[in-house]
């Protein structure tokens, strides 16, 4: 039984992450989404604007406390502000 349960969790995890396959960032240069400190986030955010899974991406970043990069069109600082407002 435990084995079956673990298998179901794995399937659920894979289904939950299927949004990543549709993400526009998966088709572009990943370095744009992880700029060096003080670097521009403009190009990455332009890609996010037209992405169909932008909301799922942001939700994932917030749920997993992603501290680096552009996720769902927001920088680390913007996500921190969003989390503070939600509390």
């Amino acid at each position: 039984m435990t084995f079956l349960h673990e298998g179901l969790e794995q399937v659920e995890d894979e289904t939950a992450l299927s949004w990543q396959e549709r993400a526009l960032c998966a088709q572009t240069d990943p370095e744009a989404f992880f700029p060096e400190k003080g670097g521009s986030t403009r190009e990455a955010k332009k890609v996010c604007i037209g992405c169909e899974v932008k909301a799922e991406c942001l939700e994932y970043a917030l749920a997993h406390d992603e501290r680096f990069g552009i996720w769902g069109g927001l920088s680390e600082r913007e996500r921190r502000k969003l989390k503070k407002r939600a509390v």
Side-chain angles (χ1 to χ4, degrees):
M1 281 291 208
T2 305
F3 180 76
L4 178 61
H5 180 68
E6 290 173 2
L8 289 175
E9 285 180 4
Q10 182 177 358
V11 170
E12 288 173 6
D13 288 345
E14 289 172 3
T15 302
L17 294 179
S18 67
W19 62 266
Q20 291 178 341
E21 295 173 2
R22 299 188 326 268
L24 289 179
C25 62
Q27 303 166 28
T28 60
D29 181 11
E31 289 187 24
F33 293 86
F34 296 92
E36 292 185 21
K37 188 171 185 172
S40 176
T41 61
R42 189 175 302 128
E43 290 304 313
K45 288 181 175 186
K46 280 184 187 177
V47 173
C48 293
I49 288 171
C51 186
E52 70 178 74
V53 295
K54 181 179 171 181
E56 290 92 333
C57 180
L58 179 58
E59 183 178 319
Y60 175 87
L62 294 171
H64 292 87
D65 199 27
E66 290 290 345
R67 297 183 183 211
F68 301 100
I70 305 302
W71 291 82
L74 299 181
S75 68
E76 309 96 288
R77 183 180 308 143
E78 292 165 329
R79 289 193 305 275
R80 277 195 309 269
K81 287 180 182 178
L82 184 63
K83 280 184 123 175
K84 283 182 182 179
R85 283 187 287 192
V87 173

